[in-house]
Amino acid sequence: MRLSRRALLAASTVAVAAQPALRARAQAAQTIRIGCLTDMSGPYKDLAGPGAVAAANQAVEEFGAAGKGLKVEVLVADHLNKPDVGTTIARQWFDRDGVDVLVEVANSGVALAVAGVAKEKNKVYLNSGAATSDLTAAACNANTIHWAYDTYMLAKSTGGAMVKAGGDSWFFVTADYAFGKALQRDTTSFVTAENGKVVGSVTYPFPGTSDFSSYLLQAQSSGAKVLGLANAGTDTINTIKQAKEFGLKMQLAGLLLFITDVHSLGLDVAQGIALTDSFYWDMNDRARAFSNRFSPRAGGARPTMVQAGVYSSTLHYLKTVMDMGPAEARKDGAATVARMKAIPTDDDCFGPGSIRIDGRKIHPSYLWEVKTPAESKGAWDYYKPVATTPADQAFRPLDKGGCPLVKA
Amino acid sequence: MFMIFGIPGPLLFGQLLLGLINGAFYAMLSLGLAVIFGMLNIINFAHGALFMMGAFVSWMLLTYVGIGYFPSLILAPLIVGIFGLLLEKTIISRLYKLDHLYGLLLTFGLALVIEGLFRNAYGSSGMPYRIPSVLQGATNLGFMYMPNYRGWVVLVAVVVCLATWAIIEKTSLGATLRAATENAPLVQAFGVDVPRLITLTYAGGVALAAFAGVLAAPIYSVNPNMGTNFINTVFAVVVIGGMGSIMGSIVTGFALGVIEGLTKVFYPQASATVVFLVMVIVLLTRPRGLFGKAA
């Protein structure tokens, strides 16, 4: 049999044309893929990491996706706290592996980079771990929601409340990078707004500093009443430990302190510290119920607000997908996010809430004080409530962020 | 209150003392590195990881077995030293005939593996280790509030550093060691088991790192990454002091601690860099280091 060149050409064209058809059929099976991009090996492993993955899986199971005819897969990757690694994984997930939504992403640098990829590919990005409030300001986009907390919320709650409670002079110990400086800047504005004053600050090299005693002595000799810790993770832990060791007579304000940090410090060191969290496992019946279901999945640990955010955001996403129909939701990330903003949120972690046009998830924030060893009834019983900022005041006012999505 | 360069005097004295305390850790770690480099010609990049292991082993002894701080000061270096001995016997000894670079790469890889294993098992936020009750509290020195534990660290570090120096420079064991470094075949001809000597030297250097780790456990969080913060500075200390020079690494360790401490008052942002600045200056003017012997 002789094959003409034209026949060959036609055959190959058909073969190529058939491929998208095959792919389309595979999509018709309606599998939703959730990519949990987190820090599995670095400084944020404990506050996010495997616990965040467990929270995403918990949301999928409790949503009862299987019973609703929806197949959901959770993929996991480690961004190593490097923006380039994070964006490469995100692109691979979106382009090759059919991932529809990214959750978590602790680390502000990685988060800002990944938000751009989600927009470019028109997918959904639900951030819980990163702190920077820029995600809902100039860097906001129609595909991104910032879930659990941000630097503005922390600064307002801890800074404002402590000045009202008499801590009217501050000294900052600040990590020398964007996050630390933003936290100090935001907190300073709330301290001065309440007629408090900042008497000094010291900016230390990040990363690579483990001895803070020198800065603590400088803080002590400044005569300030409050020591603001504009840092996170191990740095905060070391600062607090050494403040205790040197008998620092100042009130400590942990501007970003997670319950896993307090757990690592131990109550005899951490007692009395003021901190802000939008979620604490023992704050009400629903939070307790959620945490009791979470702990066995996370080796007995209680969830951080980041992990609670991953649970809450995943759950709300799946609700929205069912509401829109999976095929529609998979097609258009921005439309899905718009739909998520239209539906009120409600879950065991944050209770009823909503999502603003700029992508900011709205809920109350809470100021806590770390209990003394005598007050604590056992492991993970660490916080007592001090003050609550209602949902409508907890975050930066909509018109102050400069997010282009907000029409004047 | 009197002022020195615009800084209150008491604050400056406090910083000098704190610098000495950090210097104590630099001295102990760089001492181990210098000993290992002097005898084995291996640049031991795993030193930071072994320092971390020292802290972790003392935490484990306390948590799982109930053995407290003071026995740990002996036991943890012993345990980590034995681990070092096994490392040397099974892996590192295969590299002596090759270029320095291979040893550097191997020990760097070992450091990554060891830290990765600990991070996987114990997470990244670290474990609490309490200061032993006899050393708790602080003494008011007039110009600063000095935690008793930090005073203890400086004291112990000075004693250990001088003892190590004395063993290597003043005893017959030390003389044999030094001779073996100069000319191994000749020393072997005298009936000395040189490979065993080298193994024990490595284990000794590792034990020193672990000892520093136990001392560090109550001050810093016992954390898989705690060694990486130190190791770069400590390498700079060894280079400034003169590769392989025992006294050089001790003196440089303490001196750089003080320089770093002062930088933290005048320009804190540069405190991580100042050590390397000194290194550049020393390498430009005295390429063999401050205490290095001429070739």
Side-chain angles (χ1 to χ4, degrees):
Chain A
M1 191 180 122
R2 260 186 78 210
L3 277 175
S4 74
R5 212 165 34 175
R6 183 174 297 177
L8 263 180
L9 203 65
S12 63
T13 315
V14 169
V16 170
Q19 271 177 352
L22 274 173
R23 212 175 287 155
R25 222 180 8 256
Q27 279 171 357
Q30 296 319 343
T31 303
I32 295 287
R33 290 194 180 83
I34 300 170
C36 186
L37 183 58
T38 183
D39 179 359
M40 295 293 280
S41 57
Y44 306 135
K45 178 186 173 223
D46 291 354
L47 64 93
V53 179
N57 278 312
Q58 185 179 346
V60 172
E61 280 171 39
E62 292 181 4
F63 178 69
K68 297 183 168 105
L70 193 66
K71 195 161 173 265
V72 183
E73 286 174 16
V74 177
L75 283 71
V76 182
D78 188 347
H79 58 48
L80 305 174
N81 289 298
K82 291 178 180 145
D84 55 330
V85 175
T87 47
T88 307
I89 294 169
R91 281 177 196 285
Q92 233 172 54
W93 270 354
F94 291 147
D95 290 343
R96 195 189 64 192
D97 303 327
V99 165
D100 305 292
V101 53
L102 285 183
V103 295
E104 214 289 280
V105 198
N107 183 313
S108 294
V110 183
L112 288 166
V114 161
V117 180
K119 181 182 181 214
E120 181 194 323
K121 304 286 179 190
N122 194 19
K123 302 287 182 175
V124 179
Y125 169 35
L126 310 174
N127 169 70
S128 284
T132 178
S133 59
D134 289 353
L135 273 173
T136 52
C140 79
N141 66 49
N143 298 72
T144 301
I145 298 177
H146 197 172
W147 212 272
Y149 73 104
D150 64 24
T151 45
Y152 185 97
M153 176 199 104
L154 299 168
K156 175 163 189 178
S157 168
T158 313
M162 286 190 75
V163 179
K164 275 185 204 144
D168 54 3
S169 57
W170 284 60
F171 189 97
F172 286 100
V173 173
T174 304
D176 193 5
Y177 75 116
F179 156 74
K181 287 177 172 174
L183 205 47
Q184 179 182 345
R185 177 199 65 209
D186 289 355
T187 312
T188 300
S189 70
F190 287 108
V191 169
T192 45
E194 297 285 343
N195 292 324
K197 60 180 189 294
V198 176
V199 297
S201 70
V202 58
T203 313
Y204 69 84
F206 174 90
T209 300
S210 50
D211 184 62
F212 294 88
S213 47
S214 166
Y215 311 129
L216 294 170
L217 280 195
Q218 295 180 44
Q220 179 88 294
S221 70
S222 77
K225 288 182 190 160
V226 179
L227 180 67
L229 309 175
N231 52 14
T234 323
D235 285 3
T236 312
I237 292 175
N238 276 331
T239 320
I240 294 171
K241 257 188 122 162
Q242 291 163 19
K244 166 91 176 174
E245 196 193 344
F246 279 84
L248 205 69
K249 296 199 175 44
M250 295 169 85
Q251 164 91 22
L252 296 190
L255 297 176
L256 179 50
L257 196 65
F258 293 95
I259 192 162
T260 41
D261 299 332
V262 174
H263 187 68
S264 164
L265 279 164
L267 285 184
D268 53 322
V269 175
Q271 58 181 298
I273 295 172
L275 63 106
T276 294
D277 254 345
S278 55
F279 170 85
Y280 172 52
W281 70 272
D282 202 15
M283 65 185 190
N284 57 45
D285 287 339
R286 290 184 78 181
R288 268 189 293 278
F290 162 73
S291 304
N292 289 337
R293 301 194 303 271
F294 173 88
S295 287
R297 295 167 178 269
R302 292 298 183 179
T304 61
M305 68 171 157
V306 171
Q307 290 152 353
V310 170
Y311 170 85
S312 164
S313 57
T314 307
L315 200 62
H316 188 64
Y317 172 77
L318 291 175
K319 273 184 206 164
T320 312
V321 166
M322 282 316 281
D323 184 66
M324 290 173 80
E328 279 301 303
R330 297 205 62 202
K331 220 159 49 190
D332 187 347
T336 313
V337 167
R339 188 85 191 143
M340 287 177 79
K341 287 172 182 170
I343 304 174
T345 63
D346 187 22
D347 57 73
D348 283 353
C349 299
F350 299 95
S354 61
I355 303 163
R356 262 180 359 196
I357 178 75
D358 61 352
R360 180 64 254 170
K361 160 81 165 65
I362 298 298
H363 45 246
S365 71
Y366 306 93
L367 184 69
W368 308 93
E369 190 182 312
V370 179
K371 288 183 173 177
T372 64
E375 287 167 330
S376 169
K377 289 197 264 306
W380 300 98
D381 179 22
Y382 295 154
Y383 297 171
K384 56 187 177 197
V386 177
T388 303
T389 310
D392 59 335
Q393 293 163 32
F395 294 93
R396 181 179 50 218
L398 197 53
D399 56 343
K400 294 285 195 301
C403 168
L405 297 173
V406 184
K407 303 277 185 303
Chain B
M1 197 189 283
F2 67 101
M3 308 283 273
I4 304 168
F5 302 124
I7 307 284
L11 185 60
L12 202 63
F13 287 136
Q15 299 300 341
L16 282 174
L17 201 57
L18 289 177
L20 272 185
I21 296 165
N22 281 339
F25 283 108
Y26 295 153
M28 271 186 295
L29 285 172
S30 58
L31 180 62
L33 275 181
V35 169
I36 290 171
F37 182 77
M39 305 294 155
L40 285 75
N41 265 336
I42 288 274
I43 302 168
N44 187 30
F45 241 97
H47 219 64
L50 296 162
F51 162 78
M52 177 272 288
M53 269 183 81
F56 254 102
V57 167
S58 62
W59 175 82
M60 287 173 186
L61 285 173
L62 183 70
T63 314
Y64 302 134
V65 198
I67 294 176
Y69 174 82
F70 290 104
S72 275
L73 271 181
I74 310 287
L75 279 177
L78 209 63
I79 293 168
V80 181
I82 291 169
F83 176 76
L85 194 138
L86 294 175
L87 271 188
E88 200 277 344
K89 267 280 176 231
T90 51
I91 307 175
I92 297 173
S93 60
R94 294 165 197 275
L95 296 180
Y96 293 145
K97 290 190 186 68
L98 300 173
D99 191 80
H100 289 340
L101 267 182
Y102 289 90
L104 190 148
L105 282 175
L106 174 75
T107 50
F108 182 58
L110 283 174
L112 292 181
V113 171
I114 295 170
E115 285 172 358
L117 288 175
F118 273 91
R119 205 180 294 127
N120 216 28
Y122 295 101
S124 56
S125 24
M127 307 294 176
Y129 194 97
R130 290 177 63 132
I131 294 174
S133 50
V134 264
L135 296 172
Q136 269 174 11
T139 313
N140 195 345
L141 299 180
F143 57 90
M144 75 174 283
Y145 194 70
M146 170 80 170
N148 295 339
Y149 185 77
R150 300 239 174 183
W152 157 258
V153 166
V154 177
L155 203 73
V156 173
V158 169
V159 169
V160 166
C161 287
L162 290 180
T164 312
W165 172 80
I167 287 172
I168 291 174
E169 301 287 340
K170 300 288 171 199
T171 65
S172 67
L173 172 71
T176 319
L177 265 175
R178 279 177 291 135
T181 338
E182 290 291 324
N183 192 334
L186 191 66
V187 174
Q188 201 144 17
F190 280 110
V192 176
D193 187 347
V194 172
R196 195 176 67 182
L197 208 58
I198 289 180
T199 307
L200 289 177
T201 307
Y202 186 78
V206 166
L208 269 176
F211 185 80
V214 183
L215 285 180
I219 297 185
Y220 308 113
S221 111
V222 178
N223 175 312
N225 305 322
M226 65 193 287
T228 38
N229 281 342
F230 274 103
I231 198 70
N232 289 336
T233 314
V234 168
F235 268 104
V237 170
V238 174
V239 172
I240 295 167
M243 294 293 274
S245 161
I246 307 293
M247 202 34 124
S249 61
I250 300 175
V251 173
T252 318
F254 279 103
L256 283 180
V258 170
I259 292 176
E260 199 186 64
L262 292 179
T263 316
K264 283 177 178 172
V265 189
F266 293 108
Y267 190 64
Q269 285 93 327
S271 61
T273 333
V274 67
V275 172
F276 299 98
L277 204 68
V278 175
M279 184 174 89
V280 169
I281 294 167
V282 167
L283 284 180
L284 285 175
T285 52
R286 289 183 64 108
R288 305 211 132 253
L290 293 177
F291 295 80
K293 297 180 193 83

